[in-house]
Amino acid sequence: MAAASKRSAAYTTGPRNLITDVAGLRVGNAQDAALKSGTTVLSGDAPFVASVHVMGGAPGTRETDLLAPDKSVAAVDALVLSGGSAYGLDACSGVTEALRARGRGLQLGAALIPLVPGAILFDLLNGGAKDWVQNPYADLGREAYEASDYDFALGSHGAGTGALAAMQKGGLGSASLVLSDGTTVGALVAANPVGSVTTPGERHFWAAPFEMGAEFGGAGVDAQTGICAAPASLKAEALFGPDATSTRANTTIAIVATDRALTKAQCHRLAVAAHDGIARAIVPAHTPSDGDLVFGVSTGAGEPASDMELSEIGHGAALCLSRAIARAIYEATPADGDLLPCYRSL
């Protein structure tokens, strides 16, 4: 009877409904309005276990190989999500410098080496000023790390500043859940997909069945059926013109985290499970033109989760990621020179 009660117990959001409800994590944003781009950094009070799984066809990453379960690095100091395409990978350098200045990193003899994997999205054609002489992303990375806190802004901030979805502005999103056994799970995402986050008509989110309260407007589930065909992308037309044949300017990059102790291999499985959250919130998802990537993080100590516990944690992570994607678009705000409208302007 107790087991049945546990299975039927309702999930709740964490107190902030942010990934920082997971103990030991902080998030910082930095952005440049003229650039229409920015960077988001997840850091820990201590190094944390992390892995990664990529399902998109066009990823952009730094130091993600060391997150494979068979690699010797046990924990990292921070993770970076950034705009800027390949240029944005330099945000990791700024975070590395900031960590070193604070004495954080892997100590090997006299050498101190901060470990900062990262992933980027493409926002180079969104109308912002990209004619810089010196790459600005290292400075943005340092600024984002220095701004790290438990509370942070969503929507058109950090890595979501210049993001675009198929039909409206993208953005930065986050969400959390407290599971039936008290475990906390959270997600952080920069949503810049080729696919649409809303059903035809642009009122209802694909993620609506998973909404907690009215965290992304409470419009509810679309009553239409047979809405199988992907809509014509306003983003593709805005970036490449009405006869666009290329859509290689997209990606959804995310982090899911839990305060339950997980091994590195379990963090990889957590990231795999969380990709379901992308597929439930974006149509289509995981395309050849997206670089869809999810980092999986654990801040917990002690005995690692059992397979059954990991199954529920992965389920919670997928739910959080779907909700975070919808929140990213819902919280986007207008700015001069925007190519697409915001969800709340439609």
Side-chain angles (χ1 to χ4, degrees):
M1 192 67 170
S5 298
K6 179 179 179 180
R7 285 196 298 271
S8 62
Y11 295 163
T12 61
T13 66
R16 299 180 183 86
N17 199 17
L18 299 171
I19 196 171
T20 48
D21 288 325
V22 174
L25 295 180
R26 303 183 189 214
V27 171
N29 289 326
Q31 54 278 324
D32 183 315
L35 189 67
K36 278 189 179 289
S37 188
T39 296
T40 297
V41 177
L42 178 90
S43 59
D45 295 340
F48 49 83
V49 182
S51 191
V52 68
H53 187 64
V54 181
M55 288 192 70
T61 61
R62 170 168 157 163
E63 289 199 306
T64 50
D65 282 355
L66 61 80
L67 300 180
D70 64 325
K71 299 303 184 287
S72 60
V73 169
V76 300
D77 298 290
L79 294 172
V80 173
L81 307 179
S82 184
S85 190
Y87 300 102
L89 293 174
D90 206 31
C92 298
S93 298
V95 178
T96 300
E97 292 175 0
L99 283 161
R100 184 175 183 272
R102 294 195 180 190
R104 294 282 304 273
L106 177 66
Q107 193 77 51
L108 290 176
L112 183 66
I113 310 167
L115 299 176
V116 186
I120 49 85
L121 57 81
F122 184 98
D123 59 3
L124 298 180
L125 300 177
N126 63 3
K130 306 300 193 296
D131 56 347
W132 63 76
V133 175
Q134 181 176 339
N135 188 333
Y137 286 96
D139 288 342
L140 286 169
R142 176 185 283 273
E143 183 182 342
Y145 175 75
E146 298 292 354
S148 295
D149 205 343
Y150 299 116
D151 293 304
F152 58 95
L154 303 182
S156 303
H157 294 271
T161 300
L164 301 170
M167 310 306 286
Q168 60 279 107
K169 286 186 74 170
L172 185 75
S174 191
S176 69
L177 277 180
V178 180
L179 305 182
S180 52
D181 66 354
T183 296
T184 299
V185 182
L188 175 70
V189 63
N192 184 61
V194 66
S196 178
V197 297
T198 48
T199 62
E202 285 36 89
R203 171 168 167 74
H204 300 277
F205 286 98
W206 290 107
F210 314 112
E211 186 173 16
M212 306 286 284
E215 61 188 345
F216 43 88
V221 177
D222 196 331
Q224 299 180 80
T225 59
I227 44 177
C228 302
S233 171
L234 296 181
K235 176 180 181 178
E237 182 175 347
L239 296 185
F240 300 110
D243 300 319
T245 58
S246 173
T247 57
R248 299 178 68 177
N250 318 277
T251 205
T252 296
I253 47 178
I255 304 168
V256 294
T258 180
D259 58 2
R260 186 71 168 86
L262 301 179
T263 66
K264 200 174 181 185
Q266 288 177 317
C267 283
H268 178 260
R269 180 50 52 186
L270 176 67
V272 171
H275 271 283
D276 288 352
I278 294 178
R280 294 168 186 164
I282 301 168
V283 178
H286 304 139
T287 75
S289 301
D290 283 295
D292 295 344
L293 172 152
V294 180
F295 293 103
V297 166
S298 168
T299 64
E303 186 71 20
S306 68
D307 286 350
M308 186 67 73
E309 290 168 330
L310 182 58
S311 295
E312 185 174 19
I313 293 167
H315 171 58
L319 294 174
C320 284
L321 187 45
S322 287
R323 295 164 47 225
I325 290 168
R327 292 190 82 193
I329 278 66
Y330 180 74
E331 296 291 347
T333 51
D336 291 343
D338 283 348
L339 299 182
L340 295 180
C342 295
Y343 171 83
R344 284 190 276 184
S345 299
L346 294 172

